[in-house]
Amino acid sequence: MRWDIPLAFIVVTLSLVVVLALLQNFLRSSYGRAIKACREDEIAANSCGINIFRYKMTGFVLAALVAGIGGCLFAMVIGFVTPSEAMFLRSIDYLIFVVFGGMGSFTGSVLAAYALTILQELLRLLPRTLQIIQDMRLIVYAIILILIMIFRPKGLLGMKEFSFVGFVDKINSKLFRRAKKQEVRA
């Protein structure tokens, strides 16, 4: 069964939001902080009593879980998965998404994936006379990566994350600030 594009986009986006929210909550827990400590400096983490093997294995299992969810969603949208879907160039695309968004940022990688996928689809819509540009997609990606490495070496977001709670708090504070100003004027 192949899903239609709008419904598949909604399902994939909602699944992505749920997985990102769960991962951000996990990274803010004591387990997540231990995994971050192992990533930053294994020797320091080990000297603090963190079992490096245990937390690396936990991180690997979580990464495999997220990859499995992504594979299920991919198979759901595509309908039939073949080995040609996992070619070397596809792996390079995923690597570019992560580097473009920031190696330490979930939301940066997701935004980069959406932006570069939209760019790729826009290049595909070019007329046949501009087919050369479409064929040079990897060169366009390389130019984008070079510019990012020159001007933003840590990626677009670096280690920063968008927080759903922080976003809602900002909106509420702006709304309440306007309400208070209107009360003062009245």
Side-chain angles (χ1 to χ4, degrees), residues 30-180:
S30 59
Y31 286 103
R33 287 192 299 271
I35 288 175
K36 283 182 183 179
C38 293
R39 178 189 69 190
E40 296 300 325
D41 191 357
E42 285 185 25
I43 297 171
N46 196 13
S47 67
C48 290
I50 295 174
N51 185 350
I52 302 294
F53 176 77
R54 176 181 173 200
Y55 286 105
K56 279 189 171 186
M57 188 59 69
T58 303
F60 180 76
V61 169
L62 275 175
L65 174 73
V66 172
I69 291 170
C72 289
L73 291 171
F74 182 72
M76 176 189 69
V77 171
I78 298 299
F80 181 73
V81 181
T82 62
S84 64
E85 300 290 335
M87 292 176 28
F88 179 71
L89 291 179
R90 181 63 67 181
S91 301
I92 296 298
D93 285 345
Y94 298 147
L95 180 67
I96 289 171
F97 295 160
V98 171
V99 171
F100 184 71
M103 298 272 279
S105 173
F106 287 131
T107 52
S109 297
V110 169
L111 290 175
Y114 272 104
L116 290 176
T117 302
I118 289 170
L119 174 68
Q120 181 178 353
E121 293 302 317
L122 289 177
L123 289 175
R124 186 178 300 174
L125 293 176
L126 289 175
R128 285 286 186 210
T129 56
L130 299 174
Q131 186 70 25
I132 294 173
I133 296 173
Q134 180 182 359
D135 294 338
M136 298 187 338
R137 172 181 59 93
L138 290 178
I139 294 174
V140 171
Y141 280 179
I143 291 170
I144 291 171
L145 275 178
I146 289 170
L147 291 174
I148 285 176
M149 290 298 156
I150 291 172
F151 296 111
R152 297 282 302 182
K154 292 185 177 181
L156 288 180
L157 294 182
M159 300 293 280
K160 297 178 186 172
E161 291 287 343
F162 287 134
S163 171
F164 300 114
V165 175
F167 179 71
V168 170
D169 287 344
K170 283 183 183 180
I171 290 175
N172 284 338
S173 67
K174 288 182 181 182
L175 290 176
F176 287 128
R177 195 178 318 145
R178 287 183 188 165
K180 286 181 182 180

